[in-house]
């Protein structure tokens, strides 16, 4: 008997001895293919979700960076105006803010303001200058406590709303 014939005979004997082996083997093979397919689908979905989350995070980071850059520009413009003069007249700051042409939505802020850093010894002179600008009841509030090294009273704040 040649080798091919012997193999066929061995296979037939095996099939006769184990008649349910072929369906079980096919079932296990199909089950393995399905398992690999499910794993591939789940891995692809997880990667897609990760990519979408990364894209959203990038969009949020870009929006925050743009907003910070805009606010920074406002601060630089205000610093340039204040540093160019020794005293800021009361009518100048509202004009300055209106020239910025803000969209009315400060997005996270109640407004734009200016505050001068002073020491407790400079409070009387600061209040005198405020009254000289036309603010009758101008006073630093609350009054400085002992041990206070510096104060930063808000002098100008726009827009002029009830909350501000």
């Amino acid at each position: 008997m040649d080798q091919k014939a012997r193999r066929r005979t061995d296979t037939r004997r095996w099939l006769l001895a184990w008649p349910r082996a072929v369906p079980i083997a096919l079932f296990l093979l199909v089950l393995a293919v399905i398992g690999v397919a499910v794993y591939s689908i789940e891995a692809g979905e997880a990667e897609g979700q990760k990519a979408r989350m990364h894209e959203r995070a990038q969009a949020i980071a870009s929006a925050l960076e743009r907003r910070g850059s805009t606010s920074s520009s406002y601060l630089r413009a205000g610093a340039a105006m204040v540093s160019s003069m020794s005293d800021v007249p009361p009518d100048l700051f509202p004009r300055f803010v209106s020239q910025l042409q803000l969209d009315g939505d400060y997005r996270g802020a109640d407004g734009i303001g200016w505050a001068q850093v002073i020491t407790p010894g400079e409070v009387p002179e600061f209040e005198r200058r405020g009254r000289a600008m036309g603010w009758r009841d101008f006073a630093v509030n609350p009054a400085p406590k002992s041990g206070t090294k510096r104060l930063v009273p808000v002098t100008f704040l726009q827009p002029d709303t009830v909350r501000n």
Side-chain angles (χ1 to χ4, degrees):
M1 209 190 247
D2 69 339
Q3 200 159 354
K4 263 187 172 178
R6 193 180 303 146
R7 240 188 261 149
R8 271 189 234 135
T9 305
D10 288 343
T11 303
R12 284 184 190 144
R13 271 191 223 146
W14 187 80
L15 287 173
L16 289 174
W18 303 92
R20 293 190 177 112
V22 171
I24 290 173
L26 286 173
F27 173 75
L28 292 175
L29 179 66
V30 168
L31 189 64
V33 168
I34 289 172
V36 169
V38 167
Y39 175 77
S40 297
I41 290 169
E42 290 293 325
E45 184 63 31
E47 280 296 314
Q49 187 174 7
K50 186 177 175 182
R52 286 188 299 276
M53 185 67 75
H54 181 71
E55 185 179 321
R56 284 184 189 152
Q58 285 297 108
I60 290 169
S62 294
L64 286 172
E65 191 172 329
R66 279 191 308 275
R67 173 49 66 191
S69 181
T70 301
S71 297
S72 174
S73 297
Y74 295 152
L75 289 174
R76 275 191 239 110
M81 179 197 70
V82 170
S83 68
S84 67
M85 47 187 48
S86 59
D87 249 349
V88 178
D91 64 328
L92 180 63
F93 193 77
R95 275 189 300 149
F96 165 74
V97 172
S98 71
Q99 290 299 315
L100 289 176
Q101 297 178 350
L102 301 173
D103 58 4
D105 180 16
Y106 297 102
R107 296 182 193 152
D110 286 333
I112 296 175
W114 178 69
Q116 182 179 345
V117 178
I118 59 173
T119 63
E122 296 172 326
V123 170
E125 174 61 22
F126 182 76
E127 289 175 341
R128 187 197 61 72
R129 281 191 318 225
R131 288 186 197 109
M133 284 193 254
W135 298 317
R136 285 178 281 167
D137 298 328
F138 187 77
V140 173
N141 190 12
K145 296 178 182 175
S146 64
T148 303
K149 294 182 180 179
R150 64 181 167 173
L151 303 163
V152 188
V154 176
T155 308
F156 300 110
L157 185 58
Q158 289 293 314
D160 193 15
T161 62
V162 173
R163 186 171 174 160
N164 285 344

